[in-house]
Amino acid sequence: MTMKFGVIGTGALGMDHMRRIQQTLNGGEVVAVTDINPEAAKQAVADLGLNAKVFPDDRTLLAEGNVDAIVITSWGPAHKASVLAGIEAGKYVFCEKPLATTAEDCLRIVEAEMKHGKRLVQVGFMRRYDSGYIKLKEAIENKFIGEPLMIRAAHRNPEVGDSYLTNMAITDTLIHEIDVLHWLVNDDYKAVQVVYPKKTKYASDHLHDPQIITLKTESGIIITAEVFVNCKYGYDIQCEVIGEEGIVTLPEVQSVTFRKDAKYGVNLLMDWKQRFIEAYDVELQDFIDSIQKTGEPGGPTSWDGYIAAVTADACVKAQESGGWEPVTLKEKPDFYRTNQ
Ligand SMILES: NC(=O)C1=CN([C@@H]2O[C@H](COP(=O)(O)OP(=O)(O)OC[C@H]3O[C@@H](n4cnc5c(N)ncnc54)[C@H](O)[C@@H]3O)[C@@H](O)[C@H]2O)C=CC1
Ligand SMILES: O=C1[C@H](O)[C@H](O)[C@@H](O)[C@H](O)[C@H]1O
């Protein structure tokens, strides 16, 4: 049975997801699209050769698009309304990060999904599907390094534009580490702190860059995560878990080693789109397969989206205060207590 998708937001990632649904994955088809820029939606249909109808907005698409599921790849502030509309219509929802821009709005989504009575929502935290992070999690779960004690992470972009603001280092960029790192060690965050090292000359006047975020978990693990979005040299994601008996490190991106012009080295990526390209495929294929097999998506839930939002809120507060800020989560509902 082919899953009929409606896509809300036909920009960069929307195009990527439509392309993978149509050309790479099994069991899905894009039959409806919408964008606040209607020309962008029409162009997407033409460029991808879709047999899809363009709708004026998400609600009309849900009402008339004859879809089984929606993919939300609009701007973050628009996600909440589309997620709630999808749940109200009883449709499955794949929502790109963030689930919503505030913890309060994530709770509204949690309440709506629980009221509906079964899980409909998967959040696009694709690093959980990356083979490197999966290998890290397996090593930790198998006690290969003993108990994890510390994590050192780095999220580096070659450069960002003037529209990139200090808080986006948390809400847009670190949000990936916020989700994947507590999943990695199966622990909750307790408190966070942000410090600003010496600023790079390549950062806009208004932007603190780099930033170092320290996260403390309930079991006492200390995570230091560097966000450096004008590092110039490449798009570089690092993660090292230090345990009682050893260390496990996220594998480097595969590249040929070269010897040329009296140099020896490897190529680094410059574009985030390539770094987790397989994980994007796997997360969406899992969304399709899990729904067809169990009637529910199997990936990161609305509750994971809530955890990320609460933690991000604390980090943004810590950017201002310079001190430790608590991460205070509500009790996890049984509705979301499934093995992931
Ligand atoms: N998982 C990941 O690694 C990544 C996730 N993202 C997330 O994906 C989402 C989209 O990001 P990009 O594609 O880079 O942005 P983009 O700006 O390229 O595309 C967003 C599109 O959504 C449209 N849009 C905005 N509000 C809308 C609304 N209310 N209804 C319908 N369309 C609307 C815009 O017109 C635009 O065409 C963001 O939430 C972003 O955080 C983006 C990059 C990577
Ligand atoms: O979600 C993303 C991308 O996946 C990159 O990892 C980040 O660097 C970027 O800021 C954000 O849009």
Side-chain angles (χ1 to χ4, degrees), residues 160-225:
V160 292
D162 282 344
S163 61
Y164 189 96
L165 308 174
T166 292
N167 69 342
M168 287 171 67
I170 306 296
T171 60
D172 197 63
T173 301
L174 186 82
I175 194 94
H176 289 290
E177 276 78 15
I178 287 174
D179 174 70
V180 77
L181 296 181
H182 84 85
W183 170 79
L184 208 50
V185 293
N186 192 30
D187 202 348
D188 284 331
Y189 296 121
K190 185 177 183 178
V192 297
Q193 185 186 42
V194 179
V195 294
Y196 299 131
K198 179 177 179 179
K199 177 172 170 167
T200 171
K201 68 180 180 184
Y202 297 107
S204 307
D205 291 347
H206 59 69
L207 177 61
H208 283 289
D209 186 39
Q211 301 183 33
I212 295 178
I213 299 92
T214 306
L215 304 101
K216 193 185 299 181
T217 74
E218 290 292 348
S219 75
I221 297 170
I222 295 290
I223 299 168
T224 54

Side-chain angles (χ1 to χ4, degrees), residues 8-14 34-37 40 72-76 78-79 82 96-98 124 126 172 176 272 280:
I8 300 165
T10 58
L13 202 60
T34 187
D35 195 293
I36 51 170
N37 174 353
I72 300 172
T73 40
S74 50
W75 296 323
H79 290 184
S82 296
E96 266 302 343
K97 58 48 117 176
M126 78 289 173
D172 197 63
H176 289 290
W272 57 261
Y280 292 124

Side-chain angles (χ1 to χ4, degrees), residues 3-70:
M3 184 175 288
K4 297 192 289 290
F5 281 94
V7 177
I8 300 165
T10 58
L13 202 60
M15 285 294 284
D16 276 3
H17 284 341
M18 286 191 284
R19 192 177 295 113
R20 63 176 40 93
I21 290 168
Q22 288 298 120
Q23 299 170 12
T24 307
L25 307 183
N26 300 312
E29 181 188 7
V30 177
V31 298
V33 300
T34 187
D35 195 293
I36 51 170
N37 174 353
E39 287 315 308
K42 288 182 190 127
Q43 196 57 51
V45 171
D47 289 351
L48 295 174
L50 301 177
N51 181 19
K53 189 173 176 186
V54 176
F55 289 89
D57 55 45
D58 52 355
R59 285 198 168 273
T60 315
L61 179 149
L62 284 160
E64 302 170 17
N66 187 30
V67 301
D68 305 308
I70 55 174

Side-chain angles (χ1 to χ4, degrees), residues 92-106:
Y92 293 104
V93 178
F94 181 91
C95 182
E96 266 302 343
K97 58 48 117 176
L99 176 66
T101 52
T102 69
E104 203 48 46
D105 284 347
C106 289

